[in-house]
Amino acid sequence: KQNNKLQQQANKADNEEQQLSFVAHSSSMKMLLSQLGEVAQTKATILLTGENGTGKSTLVHYIHHKYNQHTKINQANNSALVSVNMGAIPDNLFESEMFGHTKGAFTGAHQARIGRFELAESGTLFLDEVANIPLAAQGKLLRVLESGEYEPVGSSITQNANVRLVSATNADFKSLFTQGLFRQDLYFRLNTIELKIPALRERVEDIPELAEIMLAKLCLQYDKSLMTLLPCAVERLCRYEFPGNLRELSHILERVVLMHKEVAIKAEYLMINDNYQQIDVNQENTST
């Protein structure tokens, strides 16, 4: 039942977020999607890096969808996309969460539990915020990646991990290595293919269409008449640096939908924080 529920959630998110994956008018996104097109159909381990809010989870759905298409796996049959926030798992529960446990394996284990590796069998296991894995748990994950084998807590029966592994983080691994907070051998296992997701300020050409899609979705969500951005509002968005990337763009538009009744959105309605540095398009073109 839990597996079916996870598959339904993954399919729903896939349908909702798929549009944003294909907004690629900018050269940076075209290059990224070209690279993903080559590796998404393989079972290679992928590490997605980039700033917060750049849409890494959206691209994981894209990768999962493309891999299933290539292998002709029915999405309703053992091809779940299972996401795990690694920073939210306590160190003492890491093995139970990832590998499962048997009934009575430890105090409080009143029934057997299936781990994330088994839930993602023949599908995709997404390790979000992978740099936040506790150091003590990193060796346990490394063993699975090297041997493809693990044992549920309390069991002596070895199981094989048959998953496609995708990880994501915004962390600086060089700094983590220096501080002794992340194992280099685990990093090398995670980044067979490492792809950096461009920040929104690096894909300005995509902002108008992204904003249009988000605005339409928000109007539907809040039962509002369809709003449109006036040219001055679009220009304002394109000149803004977006430290929060796609997530910040969504929040700006959500605020507009909630606070205004007009269907034509002016630049001042965006209430963009001017304390952040803005991009001077003319200056960039001149220097270029």
Side-chain angles (χ1 to χ4, degrees), residues 17-57:
E17 298 177 350
Q18 195 88 175
Q19 298 180 76
L20 297 182
S21 301
F22 294 103
V23 178
H25 304 296
S26 61
S27 58
S28 59
M29 278 302 294
K30 286 179 180 177
M31 180 178 297
L32 175 64
L33 289 182
S34 175
Q35 294 171 332
L36 278 176
E38 296 179 5
V39 302
Q41 299 178 5
T42 72
K43 209 172 182 179
T45 301
I46 298 177
L47 174 63
L48 301 176
T49 60
E51 298 177 9
N52 275 329
T54 51
K56 292 186 284 291
S57 60

Side-chain angles (χ1 to χ4, degrees), residues 53-169:
T54 51
K56 292 186 284 291
S57 60
T58 299
L59 287 173
V60 173
H61 285 274
Y62 173 80
I63 292 169
H64 177 68
H65 177 70
K66 285 293 183 182
Y67 180 69
N68 281 352
Q69 277 188 332
H70 178 68
T71 55
K72 301 186 184 302
I73 296 177
N74 186 343
Q75 290 197 355
N77 181 23
N78 296 327
S79 61
L81 168 57
V82 178
S83 300
V84 191
N85 185 337
M86 304 308 293
I89 301 179
D91 190 7
N92 61 327
L93 294 178
F94 180 84
E95 286 184 279
S96 175
E97 286 288 333
M98 300 304 295
F99 312 134
H101 64 249
T102 61
K103 182 178 179 180
F106 50 85
T107 302
H110 302 301
Q111 59 184 9
R113 177 186 177 88
I114 296 176
R116 303 304 178 97
F117 272 93
E118 187 173 352
L119 281 173
E121 180 74 16
S122 300
T124 302
L125 180 59
F126 173 42
L127 307 183
D128 197 11
E129 303 298 340
V130 70
N132 292 334
I133 300 177
L135 188 61
Q138 292 177 23
K140 300 168 186 176
L141 178 60
L142 178 62
R143 183 230 168 178
V144 181
L145 298 184
E146 287 182 336
S147 66
E149 298 177 344
Y150 66 92
E151 293 85 30
V153 179
S155 173
S156 59
I157 300 175
T158 300
Q159 296 184 210
N160 293 319
N162 178 27
V163 300
R164 200 287 175 72
L165 192 69
V166 181
S167 305
T169 185

Side-chain angles (χ1 to χ4, degrees), residues 180-242:
L181 297 177
F182 203 88
R183 298 178 56 144
Q184 290 194 45
D185 48 2
L186 176 57
Y187 168 73
F188 293 134
R189 282 287 177 180
L190 293 172
N191 77 332
T192 302
I193 303 292
E194 182 172 345
L195 299 173
K196 182 179 180 182
I197 314 302
L200 190 54
R201 62 181 174 274
E202 299 171 341
R203 45 182 301 205
V204 177
E205 299 92 335
D206 298 334
I207 291 177
E209 186 176 349
L210 285 167
E212 180 183 347
I213 293 173
M214 290 181 179
L215 190 60
K217 181 180 177 181
L218 288 165
C219 289
L220 182 63
Q221 177 181 336
Y222 290 107
D223 196 23
K224 294 288 192 75
S225 298
L226 182 62
M227 297 179 174
T228 58
L229 296 166
L230 292 176
C232 59
V234 175
E235 181 183 1
R236 179 71 161 163
L237 290 174
C238 290
R239 291 174 60 86
Y240 184 52
E241 196 168 53
F242 286 104

Side-chain angles (χ1 to χ4, degrees), residues 236 240 271-278:
R236 179 71 161 163
Y240 184 52
M271 298 174 61
I272 289 177
N273 189 346
D274 287 322
N275 291 330
Y276 291 117
Q277 181 183 1
Q278 294 184 7

